[in-house]
Amino acid sequence: LQFSPFFENKISCATAANFGLVGNGRLFILNTGGGINGVEIERIYDTKDGLFDCSWSELNENQVVTANGDGSIMLWDITLMDFPIKKWQEHQREVFSVNWNLIKKDSFWHPEALQSLSVFSEHTECVYSTMWSPYNPDVFGSASGDNTFKIWDVKVPRSTQTIRAHSNEILSLDWNKYQENVVVTGSVDRTVKVWDLRFPDHELICLRGHQYAIRRVKCSPHDGNIVASASYDMTMRLWNTTLVDPLVEVHDAHTEFVLGVDFNLYIEGQIATCAWDEHVHIWNPGPLMKPNIPMP
């Protein structure tokens, strides 16, 4: 799920029937400004295959792109009722991640192009997550089941860095919004790691506490020290990386695997999570502790 970069009350949420193993998908457009429990459904779009990710356009406030179980990418316009306005089909297996370029306002797919702009194939296992750098419009990171994450520059055909970051599959990564060279990763090995790309031999911080695989990590857009992690242990955890004891909040209200988490760009502190229990939770945690004892 993802908060809109244009409207403080809109959320897109990509879903899949039967845990994404088989069956249909559905894209929800939610409004947190009213309705039952303060949330109302604005739009529902059904698909023949499960949806595994979604991302709001940085070009058009009414458009959302989805990652689909049939290997396609679909672009939706929430002012229209039924069908996607564009569909691209180049992947051979499920698409797990999609992310809109924050600076160039496009991606490897451009809304006006008929096919992908570039193809990069270097990982040896499934790629679970890709994320554009918020600083450099040509740089992005990818996290893979081959236990590595890679940094790419679209101007060159090969990755510029490969970091064997975890002892198991890496399911997610995100860029720190305040430190250009800092990347956060989450893995099946149950750890969240913070990396400085200038010193790739060892992580800066390893955050431990989850009981099962970590499906999603997200860096706060409001505080460069705050990281959120969503896990198959049914919790979402918030970390302050400047504290000796960095775990500052555990959200354990979900009753199934937590697969998504995002920060509201417009309402500092507001967070949304989604899980296999078919629920979206929107909540405001307590004050996230400022450092009392700096990390060594």
Side-chain angles (χ1 to χ4, degrees):
L1 87 174
Q2 187 187 39
F3 279 101
S4 166
F6 293 98
F7 305 106
E8 68 179 46
N9 293 323
K10 287 189 190 296
I11 297 177
S12 61
C13 184
T15 71
N18 304 308
F19 315 112
L21 298 176
V22 64
N24 300 336
R26 180 170 284 179
L27 172 65
F28 288 87
I29 305 300
L30 307 175
N31 191 310
T32 63
I36 299 175
N37 297 322
V39 179
E40 62 182 0
I41 299 173
E42 285 194 357
R43 286 280 191 272
I44 294 176
Y45 300 99
D46 289 316
T47 59
K48 292 182 179 179
D49 291 271
L51 302 180
F52 294 107
D53 199 13
C54 57
S55 181
W56 288 93
S57 168
E58 294 287 336
L59 286 168
N60 187 318
E61 68 270 21
N62 294 314
Q63 293 183 356
V64 180
V65 64
T66 56
N68 303 354
D70 65 356
S72 69
I73 306 291
M74 291 184 180
L75 183 66
W76 306 83
D77 190 311
I78 64 173
T79 65
L80 305 176
M81 292 299 295
D82 295 316
F83 302 106
I85 60 174
K86 190 156 290 190
K87 179 178 180 179
W88 299 273
Q89 183 88 48
E90 290 187 27
H91 290 288
Q92 303 303 309
R93 297 284 301 275
E94 300 95 333
V95 185
F96 289 117
S97 178
V98 63
N99 181 235
W100 213 287
N101 193 310
L102 297 173
I103 304 172
K104 282 189 173 180
K105 308 299 184 183
D106 60 11
S107 63
F108 290 148
W109 309 86
H110 191 281
E112 301 305 320
L114 298 178
Q115 60 187 25
S116 59
L117 306 179
S118 304
V119 177
F120 296 87
S121 53
E122 197 174 291
H123 283 292
T124 58
E125 300 290 344
C126 175
V127 180
Y128 289 105
S129 178
T130 54
M131 192 68 62
W132 288 102
S133 165
Y135 294 91
N136 189 325
D138 295 319
V139 172
F140 71 98
S142 59
S144 172
D146 62 15
N147 301 5
T148 72
F149 76 89
K150 292 175 181 284
I151 304 301
W152 309 78
D153 187 316
V154 299
K155 298 189 297 296
V156 297
R158 303 288 294 178
S159 62
T160 59
Q161 276 186 282
T162 298
I163 298 175
R164 184 162 292 276
H166 290 267
S167 60
N168 213 313
E169 294 180 295
I170 306 173
L171 303 184
S172 183
L173 87 165
D174 195 20
W175 295 81
N176 189 292
K177 310 304 186 291
Y178 294 85
Q179 300 178 69
E180 180 176 359
N181 295 297
V182 174
V183 173
V184 178
T185 56
S187 171
V188 172
D189 68 11
R190 302 176 293 175
T191 65
V192 175
K193 292 186 178 182
V194 182
W195 300 87
D196 188 322
L197 299 178
R198 296 167 297 181
F199 310 102
D201 292 339
H202 198 274
E203 71 269 14
L204 293 177
I205 305 167
C206 183
L207 303 172
R208 304 180 186 273
H210 281 293
Q211 301 302 307
Y212 293 104
I214 295 160
R215 185 62 186 90
R216 186 80 65 168
V217 291
K218 201 77 174 181
C219 296
S220 169
H222 304 290
D223 188 326
N225 300 315
I226 301 300
V227 176
S229 55
S231 170
Y232 289 109
D233 66 10
M234 307 185 199
T235 71
M236 194 286 298
R237 297 174 186 242
L238 286 173
W239 313 83
N240 186 327
T241 59
T242 60
L243 297 179
V244 172
D245 184 7
L247 181 62
V248 293
E249 185 96 23
V250 178
H251 181 68
D252 60 359
H254 285 291
T255 58
E256 265 294 355
F257 300 164
V258 185
L259 300 187
V261 60
D262 197 27
F263 293 88
N264 192 323
L265 292 172
Y266 295 97
I267 304 176
E268 184 171 356
Q270 188 174 94
I271 298 172
T273 57
C274 62
W276 274 15
D277 60 12
E278 304 178 6
H279 286 83
V280 171
H281 291 178
I282 300 164
W283 56 291
N284 291 77
L288 301 179
M289 296 170 58
K290 298 298 179 183
N292 45 19
I293 307 175
M295 290 290 288

